[in-house]
Amino acid sequence: MSAGESAGLQVEGLHYRLGERVLLDGVDLSVEPGESVAVTGPSGSGKSTLLMCVLGLVRPDRGAVRIGGQELTGLPSGRLAQVRRERLGTIFQFGELLPELTPVENVALPMLLGGGDHRAAYRRATELLSDLGVPHEGTPTGMLSGGERQRAAVARALITDPAVLLADEPTGALDPEAREAVADLLFAVSLEQGCALLLVTHDLSVAARAQRVLRLEAGVLTDALDGVGA
Amino acid sequence: MNTVAQRTRGTDFATAPAGRGGRLWGQLLRIGFAAGRGTPGDRLRFWALFAAAAAVAVVALGSVAAIATYDGREARDQARGPMLTDRRQDAVALWREAFDAVGEVQHSVIYVSPLKTDAPPPPGLPRWPAPGEAMLSPELVREGGKEQITSRYGRYAGTIGKSGLVSPSERLAYVRPAQTPDELRKSDAWQYAEGFGRAFPMGENLYGRPLGQVLLTLGVLTGLPAVSLLVIAARVGSRTRDRRSGLLQALGGGWRHRAVVNIGESALSIAAGTAVAILPMLAASATDLRIPPTGYLLNSDDLRAAWPMTLTALIVSFVVSLGAVVVLHRVERGGTATRPRSFASKVPRWRLYGCGAGLALVAVSQYFRGTPGLLAFAFGTVAMWALLPSVAAAASRVLGEKFAAQGFRAGRPGQLIGGRWTVAHPGVVVRLAVAMVIGLGLVCQLQVWNSRLGEKAAAARASEARVGDSLISVYNRDITPPAVRDLAGSLPTGAHLFSLNTNPEQPAPLLQGSCDALRALGLTCPAAPEAAKGGDRRLEEIRRWYGPELRIQATPSDPSLDKLYGQLLVIPEATGQRAPVERVAYAVVPAVNVETLGENWLTGASNKARLNNWILLFGSLGLALLLLAGTISAAAEFMRVRHVLAPLAVLTGSHSIYRSVALWNLTTPLLIATFITGAVSAWHSLFFIAVVQEGSFSWRVLAGAMTGCAALAVAVGLLGGRAAIRAARTWRPTAD
């Protein structure tokens, strides 16, 4: 597949070795806009490394990562950060919201950091929080429940209208009820917004909701259902 | 994955119960040691503990140095003190003490005249000085160069050795007059000494303070800040330690296991800090070290002799620092933090009222006379200064809200977050502001107190500015008429000699001199006393000091001198003639006093100012420690919150957000604290001056101190931002 053919995420022949240990051994992966892919695997199998390669935080030994047709590998750090800002949205296990800010300010932060129009950022943040059912008027971020905080984190990831949404154990810190709600939301918004969703999780019940479930083991990515390469 | 968790695998408390075998303890120590090197953010903790241990050790060694120095001083003072006797036949020497000054610093001049030449000289002297010879301490030679001190008391015959000086920085002179003992004995000021070796306070020991006071000052001004630094350092990096402790607790470890791990974790940094503190001690033991700004030279022999005490102090300091880390590491029931606490939300309101009450008390203290007024002023001052940081924090909080609102409106994330953090954590500002507030307040108060010369000293300073050394007073009750004649005959060319009689039973002070001398002052030459009419500036100066009704009288021969109320006045032809006048005066009359008018008032004030230098030394050391403690505390707080911001900053590549947040969160509130404190310091000092009607306030000193604080505020912000950026760069999503 060549650059520009897809607006989603393409990973080609990714190799990454840590000392003697091969973490990624020619990983190929493609996530189309609106498609959701879950990556599972045992601890230490390299799921987070794969995510870091996609984020550009770790430089692979070989291979390429493309987002919306734009090759990430080899980009200078400034340009890389710009691509991350404009095309990637990330959700972490613990939400990582600033308790001192209001939910609206937290969600608007990526746009503000990117130098976007602040009025538009606040407007969009309010819309997203309303859409995702997070109370945003009068409730400080510190008072939100775990599920609400994670939904606010999803809203924050979506505010830049990313082409690719990355989620690193997004339901790992939630109770079963909140986990269901956040998982529902995540898959629904990626479909609605037409962004490629790459989800890394231990939780097979959450992974099962993805359109495709892949398993990373011994550095190789295989289809979790039939063992066929991704 | 938590690195500590990885390292603690294999430490099974269920199979190795607490206290069984040395292997477990060794393993726990290793875990702690590895944790100390490996956990994120440990660099701050390492250096914080290092600095705290060094500070505690420096205070401990400072105390040792003080004790050793006082021991040495006492021994040398005892060895050189004259054993006075009334029995002529037992005496080995004639002995008397007099005082003189170089600059405004007074020193003792010990006159000796041996009666038995085979008797050993005072300690520090290689031999008895020959008649007309003087031996001076090295410090006196060094400081008195400009005043030609080596020729003042006679022929210079070398320096006094260290064994004869209580400290190498003592200013002291041993002088043997040219006169024979029989001539000298005409004055009853001489005493017989049968040898040396009895405590007799003289020289520098007259101006010192007892050891207890020195240790107390060191303890309060430097020791307490060192302890506060230790407390803060012990709590830095609590996030990681909480997790480790929780893990140990979950595995069945008790407080002893946690203590051993903590010892392993902090021992290296504390040992390194303690070891570093010995460097100044080693330097001071190798050579006599001068302590700025006091100018005091430590005697290296004293410190070398105290090595067992030094070693003990180092071990005690190490144990205390390590113990503090272990004791201060609490594991709370909720399993939450031992991290430096910050106010949950608000600065307690009573603090603001308390500060206001202190301010009011200072303001109304002027209406009470005597002790109640003083007490009101003192209590008000303490309350005001103690609670002022909280006012600064409350003001910062209000401003933080404004900053955040402004940041929100303008879409500036740094201002928004910094403002909100200031509102949420005013404690960070309080801790740093405490040091700055105390520092600024102390600097201003010291400056004002030092400027309080007293009326007479202020008059002497003014007199010095007006006439300098163009009017020199020479007095001593041993000045006989032949001595006056000798003096008149050997004064520098063009100098005139007067006598001034200030006997209060006279109608007015009387200035006598030859017609030539009186004419040199623009006066007439009356044979009988009459009022002095003339406007010569030197005459004006005499009137200022001894009364406006000054009378004059011409004397045909040398002026006569009243034994009790008389003094000689020398008016040289030009300024800069003091040294030759002193030289001839000392040659004629041993132990004579040669001064400009009111000079002894200045030496008194200078003694006070030099003692204040010790307070300045200990105080500034303490302040530096408080500032360090505040900075570490702020950095720790900043490091704690950086975790939350790291993912966004890393993913958006917006590292500068940290700089911007640090600017609004640290620098701006500290600048506000600086301005509030500066304003209050100025008011307080000016108020104090107005009440006591003495002293002056230096705006330059305040401006300098405020500039220092402002620079610190900027530095703390820059360092905080830089540290957070560096730490954030290493952040990686590690949720699995």
Side-chain angles (χ1 to χ4, degrees):
Chain A
M1 194 179 287
S2 63
E5 277 184 39
S6 167
L9 166 71
Q10 280 80 43
V11 174
E12 282 175 22
L14 217 54
H15 280 265
Y16 185 75
R17 176 192 286 267
L18 198 64
E20 289 301 302
R21 193 165 155 207
V22 178
L23 283 174
L24 303 176
D25 189 9
V27 167
D28 291 312
L29 170 68
S30 169
V31 190
E32 298 302 318
E35 188 188 12
S36 56
V37 172
V39 175
T40 63
S43 280
S45 61
K47 301 190 296 294
S48 287
T49 307
L50 173 64
L51 210 63
M52 281 193 264
C53 286
V54 172
L55 279 166
L57 296 174
V58 163
R59 195 177 287 265
D61 300 331
R62 278 205 314 276
V65 174
R66 287 194 200 91
I67 288 173
Q70 166 84 54
E71 169 119 21
L72 248 66
T73 32
L75 279 183
S77 62
R79 181 82 187 96
L80 193 64
Q82 191 192 349
V83 172
R84 277 201 296 258
R85 248 187 338 252
E86 291 171 357
R87 304 195 180 179
L88 276 172
T90 314
I91 303 147
F92 302 104
Q93 182 175 0
F94 297 105
E96 313 285 16
L97 301 177
L98 294 168
E100 294 86 0
L101 301 192
T102 65
V104 170
E105 288 162 351
N106 262 306
V107 172
L109 211 47
M111 262 182 92
L112 298 181
L113 288 172
D117 174 44
H118 60 280
R119 287 185 202 85
Y122 298 139
R123 201 169 45 241
R124 179 86 181 109
T126 311
E127 282 168 14
L128 279 168
L129 287 168
S130 298
D131 290 350
L132 303 186
V134 181
H136 54 85
E137 275 171 20
T139 311
T141 301
M143 300 297 285
L144 296 180
S145 70
E148 285 169 341
R149 273 207 293 275
Q150 208 57 344
R151 275 184 276 154
V154 174
R156 191 178 64 183
L158 289 173
I159 195 163
T160 51
D161 292 325
V164 176
L165 200 55
L166 302 173
D168 188 10
E169 295 285 3
T171 58
L174 300 178
D175 59 61
E177 201 177 320
R179 186 181 61 199
E180 293 302 309
V182 169
D184 282 346
L185 173 76
L186 209 51
F187 290 108
V189 289
S190 77
L191 203 60
E192 278 170 23
Q193 310 259 333
C195 54
L197 171 66
L198 178 64
L199 176 91
V200 166
T201 182
H202 273 114
D203 191 330
L204 292 178
S205 70
V206 172
R209 295 166 183 235
Q211 290 163 348
R212 279 193 294 150
V213 182
L214 306 175
R215 184 173 172 80
L216 185 64
E217 204 161 3
V220 179
L221 207 53
T222 54
D223 195 314
L225 299 176
D226 55 21
V228 180
Chain B
M1 173 66 71
N2 187 344
T3 49
V4 179
Q6 284 170 336
R7 289 187 180 104
T8 47
R9 263 177 220 152
T11 308
D12 187 350
F13 291 91
T15 54
R20 190 189 297 166
R23 252 187 81 195
L24 171 65
W25 299 116
Q27 205 167 9
L28 287 171
L29 268 178
R30 274 198 302 280
I31 290 169
F33 186 67
R37 287 181 310 160
T39 43
D42 271 334
R43 216 152 44 158
L44 179 64
R45 180 168 170 76
F46 181 93
W47 289 114
L49 284 174
F50 175 89
V56 171
V58 162
V59 173
L61 293 182
S63 308
V64 168
I67 294 168
T69 298
Y70 268 76
D71 281 351
R73 286 172 67 97
E74 204 182 314
R76 286 186 293 276
D77 195 41
Q78 167 118 14
R80 73 184 182 179
M83 296 193 287
L84 299 177
T85 176
D86 293 333
R87 292 160 60 88
R88 159 82 180 83
Q89 59 272 35
D90 295 341
V92 297
L94 282 172
W95 189 96
R96 84 182 273 192
E97 185 183 23
F99 299 97
D100 190 15
V102 160
E104 286 172 8
V105 182
Q106 203 171 40
H107 61 263
S108 292
V109 181
I110 308 296
Y111 287 89
V112 284
S113 184
L115 299 171
K116 293 177 184 162
T117 45
D118 57 342
L125 300 191
R127 59 172 172 83
W128 287 101
E133 272 187 354
M135 292 182 179
L136 312 181
S137 71
E139 185 77 354
L140 190 59
V141 173
R142 197 179 80 98
E143 293 290 337
K146 272 191 194 153
E147 299 185 18
Q148 301 167 28
I149 190 79
T150 45
S151 58
R152 185 182 293 179
Y153 308 113
R155 283 191 315 282
Y156 175 57
T159 55
I160 305 169
K162 264 167 86 175
S163 60
L165 300 169
V166 289
S167 84
S169 51
E170 184 177 36
R171 300 175 181 204
L172 186 73
Y174 277 104
V175 179
R176 179 168 173 185
Q179 294 85 344
T180 63
D182 288 336
E183 282 174 307
L184 294 173
R185 247 176 308 187
K186 287 177 190 159
S187 160
D188 55 8
W190 289 88
Q191 291 172 291
Y192 292 118
E194 57 181 357
F196 301 93
R198 184 180 299 150
F200 188 97
M202 60 189 225
E204 207 175 68
N205 260 12
L206 293 172
Y207 316 111
R209 284 277 184 272
L211 174 64
Q213 254 183 47
V214 173
L215 291 180
L216 188 71
T217 314
L218 175 68
V220 171
L221 292 182
T222 317
L224 287 182
V227 169
S228 74
L229 175 62
L230 181 61
V231 170
I232 283 174
R235 293 182 173 189
V236 165
S238 53
R239 183 188 167 102
T240 334
R241 279 178 308 134
D242 285 346
R243 291 171 72 178
R244 187 173 63 231
S245 292
L247 183 66
L248 286 174
Q249 214 171 11
L251 292 174
W255 73 268
R256 278 179 301 159
H257 300 109
R258 285 201 302 276
V260 173
V261 173
N262 281 335
I263 286 171
E265 184 241 3
S266 51
L268 186 67
S269 47
I270 289 176
T274 309
V276 159
I278 202 171
L279 293 179
M281 193 71 166
L282 283 179
S285 299
T287 177
D288 296 345
L289 212 64
R290 196 176 287 278
I291 310 174
T294 64
Y296 187 88
L297 269 171
L298 282 171
N299 189 329
S300 54
D301 303 340
D302 293 343
L303 302 189
R304 273 199 301 276
W307 71 264
M309 203 173 14
T310 303
L311 211 62
T312 314
L314 274 180
I315 294 168
V316 169
S317 152
F318 176 74
V319 171
V320 164
S321 299
L322 204 57
V325 172
V326 172
V327 170
L328 289 171
H329 182 204
R330 306 187 302 263
V331 174
E332 293 190 356
R333 203 159 286 184
T336 53
T338 55
R339 68 184 53 115
R341 276 149 204 282
S342 56
F343 294 62
S345 54
K346 285 186 172 180
V347 176
R349 199 163 279 274
W350 67 265
R351 294 186 185 208
L352 309 184
Y353 293 138
C355 186
L359 202 103
L361 211 54
V362 168
V364 299
S365 65
Q366 58 186 314
Y367 302 112
F368 299 101
R369 289 197 166 273
T371 313
L374 191 72
L375 282 177
F377 185 83
F379 272 120
T381 299
V382 169
M384 186 181 82
W385 285 114
L387 300 174
L388 195 60
S390 296
V391 175
S396 295
R397 221 174 157 264
V398 172
L399 277 163
E401 269 164 16
K402 290 200 190 317
F403 289 153
Q406 210 175 42
F408 179 82
R409 279 197 301 276
R412 282 195 286 265
Q415 193 179 359
L416 173 65
I417 298 170
R420 284 283 159 76
W421 279 358
T422 306
V423 176
H425 311 284
V428 177
V429 177
V430 172
R431 278 188 288 273
L432 253 178
V434 163
M436 283 174 43
V437 166
I438 295 174
L440 270 178
L442 194 72
V443 164
C444 287
Q445 279 299 302
L446 265 181
Q447 180 269 315
V448 169
W449 279 85
N450 276 345
S451 75
R452 286 182 66 207
L453 289 168
E455 202 183 325
K456 290 283 188 189
R461 176 82 71 226
S463 184
E464 185 190 38
R466 282 191 297 266
V467 295
D469 62 356
S470 61
L471 184 58
I472 300 166
S473 155
V474 178
Y475 63 95
N476 183 294
R477 61 199 176 104
D478 296 339
I479 301 182
T480 54
V484 175
R485 193 170 52 243
D486 285 353
L487 187 67
S490 47
L491 282 176
T493 322
H496 295 287
L497 188 68
F498 299 85
S499 83
L500 179 69
N501 188 338
T502 53
N503 190 338
E505 286 174 11
Q506 296 181 127
L510 180 66
L511 183 71
Q512 293 176 306
S514 66
C515 277
D516 276 355
L518 290 170
R519 283 194 197 103
L521 287 180
L523 295 165
T524 54
C525 188
E530 69 172 45
K533 292 185 190 112
D536 186 278
R537 62 196 173 90
R538 291 162 295 187
L539 196 67
E540 284 295 322
E541 216 54 48
I542 299 171
R543 281 201 192 98
R544 274 197 191 96
W545 281 97
Y546 301 103
E549 308 299 318
L550 183 73
R551 296 174 306 151
I552 52 165
Q553 184 186 19
T555 49
S557 57
D558 294 316
S560 63
L561 196 63
D562 185 285
K563 217 167 171 55
L564 266 181
Y565 297 103
Q567 62 177 300
L568 295 172
L569 290 179
V570 178
I571 298 186
E573 195 173 27
T575 53
Q577 295 282 305
R578 182 175 170 161
V581 170
E582 277 182 314
R583 196 159 47 238
V584 298
Y586 278 102
V588 172
V589 189
V592 72
N593 292 294
V594 184
E595 297 174 356
T596 55
L597 297 191
E599 190 183 298
N600 52 353
W601 293 102
L602 287 178
T603 55
S606 147
N607 271 343
K608 204 173 67 180
R610 276 179 306 124
L611 281 179
N612 282 346
N613 278 340
W614 286 98
I615 296 178
L616 191 67
L617 169 71
F618 294 148
S620 46
L621 271 176
L623 274 175
L625 293 178
L626 278 180
L627 283 176
L628 188 61
T631 309
I632 287 173
S633 161
E637 195 80 14
F638 206 70
M639 293 299 262
R640 189 174 70 78
V641 285
R642 90 181 149 79
H643 289 279
V644 192
L645 204 54
L648 269 182
V650 170
L651 297 181
T652 56
S654 311
H655 284 117
S656 61
I657 181 75
Y658 284 116
R659 237 174 262 133
S660 162
V661 171
L663 175 79
W664 289 105
N665 183 225
L666 297 175
T667 304
T668 312
L670 287 177
L671 284 178
I672 292 166
T674 303
F675 284 113
I676 292 180
T677 311
V680 174
S681 291
W683 171 79
H684 188 245
S685 303
L686 289 170
F687 186 85
F688 178 73
I689 290 165
V691 170
V692 300
Q693 298 198 326
E694 203 177 84
S696 61
F697 181 69
S698 163
W699 290 100
R700 240 176 51 188
V701 167
L702 178 67
M706 282 180 72
T707 309
C709 285
L712 180 89
V714 172
V716 165
L718 288 178
L719 284 175
R722 189 168 159 265
I725 288 172
R726 283 173 60 152
R729 284 212 170 105
T730 61
W731 174 88
R732 293 292 178 264
T734 53
D736 73 337

